[in-house]
Amino acid sequence: MSKLSRRVEQEELRARMRAVGMSHDEIAVEFARRYKLRPRAAHRHARGWTQTQAANHINTHAARVGLDPDGAAPMTGPKLSELENWPLPNNRRRPTPQILALLAEVYDTSIHNLIDLDDREQMPPADLLLITTIRERAVPASAIGSLPQAQSASSEVTPMVDAPNRQQFLLAASALGVAVVLPRQPAAPSPSVSVRSTVFPAACDLLADLREAITAPAEWSTDPDPASFAGPADLDARARECHDRYQRADYAGTARLLPAVVRGIETLTVDPPTGVNHRAVRRTQAVAYIAAAKLATKTGDHDLAWLAADRGQHAALAADAPALLATARRQIACVFHDTGRLADAERVAVSALDALNQRPGDEDHRDLSSARGALLLLSAMTSIRRGERTEGRRRLTAAAEQADALGRDNNRLWSAFGPTNVAIHTLTATLVLDDPTEAVGVGEQIDTRLLPPPLAGRRARLHVDLSGGHARLGEDAIAAVHILDVARRAPQLLRVDPTARAVLATLLGRARGSTVSVLRSVAEQAGVAT
C-alpha cells in the first residue's frame, strides 16, 4: 500500500472512530494495533498530522509556553521521526522526559501513553523516575528544563552526571520526597535492608589471580604467563592501562589485566635482557604495584593493598622517582586511613610530603605538584576525621593553592589532582564535619566536565557524596537520582564503595511508591540485600 493510500485509509478510519465517540487516546491504541506504530507515532496519526505538521504544532506550543520564546523552532519532521522510532538500532535521538511532556501537551494525552515496553527497557532509571513524577504531579513541560538543550542531537537525553539538572532533582523531591528528616549524622541502613559487605561481592575471587601473582615471586613460577615475556615498553603500556581501567571504574577489567602485568614485570626484574634500562623497569614495576594497591584498597583487601603499596615504594626508590615514590607512600597512608589507623596515616602522609619537599628530583614539576597535592588532600581528610578541623582546612587550602599552580584539572601519575578534585574533597570534608547543607551547596558548584575523560570514578564519587548529603537532609528523591546516575555510569563503584552502598540501602529502606522498584533493581545489581 502506498503512503497516499494508507493516509486516505487512516483518514476514513479516524472519521469512523470519531463518529462513534472514540477519544484520541483510543484512536491511537487502535492505530498502533492496526499499523504497528510506536506510541508517539500513533498519537500523531490519531490527530491526522504529518510529521511536519506535528513539528509545527510542537514549535507553536513551545513558543506559547515559553520554551522557545525566540521562535527558533528546534523541532523538525526528521527530528520528530527519530524521536518516534527510538530505540530502533542506530537511532541515537532518545526522547527526554521534557520532550515527552511537551508531546503529551500537544497531543492532549498522558506522558505514560507515549512510551511502551521497548522505551522502558532502554531508558535510564532516572528518566523513568522523572516521567512518573511528571505524570503524578501534572508538571508542565515548561517547568522541566530547556527545549533546545533537550533537543540537542549531540547531548545525552537524561541529566548529565557531570552537570546535573537541579530543577529536575527538585521536581522529583517535591513529588516523591518523604517528610522525615534524617538526624544530623551519617545515615544508617534501615533494619529491613542490609549491606551484605563493604567489599566487592566475591572479592576473593576477583583478586585471587592478582594475590597469587604478587605473593609468588617470579623465580618460583613453574608456569609463567605468556605476558611475562613481553618487552619493557609493552609492559609499561599495560601497567598504564591498568590505571586507566581503574579510573574508569572498571575494577573487574583491572583485575583481569594486572596479574599478567605483575608477573611480566617481576620476570623482567629477575632476569633483565641485556641493554634494558633498569630504572625504567623499576619505574614500570612501581606503576603496576600502585595500580594493584589502589584496586585492593577499593575492593577492601587491605592486607594485599599494603603489600602492593610497599612493593611499589621500593620499586620507586630503586627507580629514583620521587613523585612516584610519594604516590606509592600515599597508597600506604590510604590503607591506614581506610582501616581507621588515622595517626599512622598522618605520619606516612606527612613524612612523604617532607621527603618530596626536600628532594624534588629531576621529574616534571607537574608530577611533583600533583603528588604533593594528592598527599595534601589525604592528610587534610585524615586531620578532619581526627577532629582537627583547623589543620584540615589549612591543608585543603594548601591543596587548592597547589591546584591553582597547575592551572587546570590534571591527572598526572593518575592522581586526578586539580581544582575540581580539591572541590570534591571539600564536599566530602563538609559531610565528615556533619554539614550536609553546606556539602550540597559545594557540590552544586562543581562542574566535573572539567575533569579528564577517564576519571569516571571521580565523577561518580561526587554523586555518591551528594546522594549522601541529600539523604541526610531528607531529600530522598534527589539522593535517588544521584545514585541512579552512579549506577548507570559507574555500576561497579556501587558494588565496592561502602558509602554508596549504605546510602542506597537507606534510600531503599525509606522508599515509597514508584521509587521502590527502581531502587530495588539497582540494589540487586549492587549486591545490597533487600
Side-chain angles (χ1 to χ4, degrees), residues 6 9-10 13-14 17 22-47 84 113-117 119:
R6 172 164 293 189
E9 178 186 301
Q10 289 178 349
L13 179 61
R14 183 183 309 103
M17 288 190 286
M22 292 179 67
S23 68
H24 284 109
D25 282 347
E26 292 171 326
I27 294 173
V29 171
E30 183 63 21
F31 272 29
R33 183 185 70 81
R34 289 198 180 207
Y35 300 109
K36 302 187 184 304
L37 298 173
R38 302 301 311 287
R40 294 175 289 284
H43 278 270
R44 174 175 57 78
H45 282 281
R47 292 279 171 176
E84 288 180 346
N113 290 338
L114 298 179
I115 57 176
D116 59 11
L117 176 62
D119 295 316

Side-chain angles (χ1 to χ4, degrees), residues 434-501:
D434 198 18
D435 191 348
T437 301
E438 176 67 17
V440 169
V442 170
E444 289 174 344
Q445 303 304 312
I446 298 174
D447 184 357
T448 57
R449 289 173 297 185
L450 300 174
L451 290 171
L455 298 179
R458 276 285 84 196
R459 290 181 175 85
R461 181 67 227 183
L462 167 67
H463 292 280
V464 168
D465 285 344
L466 280 173
S467 182
H470 283 294
R472 293 193 202 183
L473 294 172
E475 299 172 342
D476 283 17
I478 305 176
V481 173
H482 281 291
I483 283 292
L484 291 174
D485 277 328
V486 173
R488 183 164 64 94
R489 296 175 180 274
Q492 292 186 40
L493 185 73
L494 275 181
R495 297 183 66 85
V496 303
D497 190 283
T499 302
R501 293 163 63 78

Side-chain angles (χ1 to χ4, degrees), residues 6-204:
R6 172 164 293 189
R7 182 171 177 78
V8 171
E9 178 186 301
Q10 289 178 349
E11 288 290 348
E12 293 175 350
L13 179 61
R14 183 183 309 103
R16 288 166 51 201
M17 288 190 286
R18 291 296 290 170
V20 297
M22 292 179 67
S23 68
H24 284 109
D25 282 347
E26 292 171 326
I27 294 173
V29 171
E30 183 63 21
F31 272 29
R33 183 185 70 81
R34 289 198 180 207
Y35 300 109
K36 302 187 184 304
L37 298 173
R38 302 301 311 287
R40 294 175 289 284
H43 278 270
R44 174 175 57 78
H45 282 281
R47 292 279 171 176
W49 296 338
T50 65
Q51 288 173 338
T52 299
Q53 289 171 333
N56 290 336
H57 283 288
I58 293 167
N59 291 329
T60 300
H61 182 72
R64 184 167 58 248
V65 299
L67 282 172
D68 184 25
D70 298 326
M75 183 62 75
T76 64
K79 287 182 180 179
L80 182 59
S81 176
E82 291 187 39
L83 291 169
E84 288 180 346
N85 290 315
W86 187 87
L88 291 178
N90 302 318
N91 192 337
R92 299 179 59 187
R93 192 181 297 277
R94 185 171 69 225
T96 67
Q98 182 191 41
I99 288 296
L100 290 170
L102 185 65
L103 293 176
E105 291 173 6
V106 172
Y107 297 148
D108 190 23
T109 189
S110 167
I111 190 172
H112 270 195
N113 290 338
L114 298 179
I115 57 176
D116 59 11
L117 176 62
D118 290 338
D119 295 316
R120 290 176 178 275
E121 289 181 337
Q122 296 298 321
M123 282 181 170
D127 274 16
L128 295 175
L129 176 62
L130 185 56
I131 288 169
T132 297
T133 301
I134 292 169
R135 184 191 67 169
E136 291 179 352
R137 300 292 292 185
V139 179
S142 57
I144 301 172
S146 165
L147 177 61
Q149 183 179 35
Q151 284 287 105
S152 171
S154 61
S155 65
E156 294 200 14
V157 189
T158 54
M160 293 290 287
V161 137
D162 45 24
N165 185 323
R166 172 68 173 170
Q167 192 174 27
Q168 292 195 2
F169 295 165
L170 290 176
L171 195 62
S174 68
L176 302 174
V178 296
V180 178
V181 178
L182 287 175
R184 292 178 62 81
Q185 61 185 15
S190 164
S192 63
V193 184
S194 65
V195 179
R196 289 177 185 157
S197 172
T198 58
V199 301
F200 203 131
C204 291

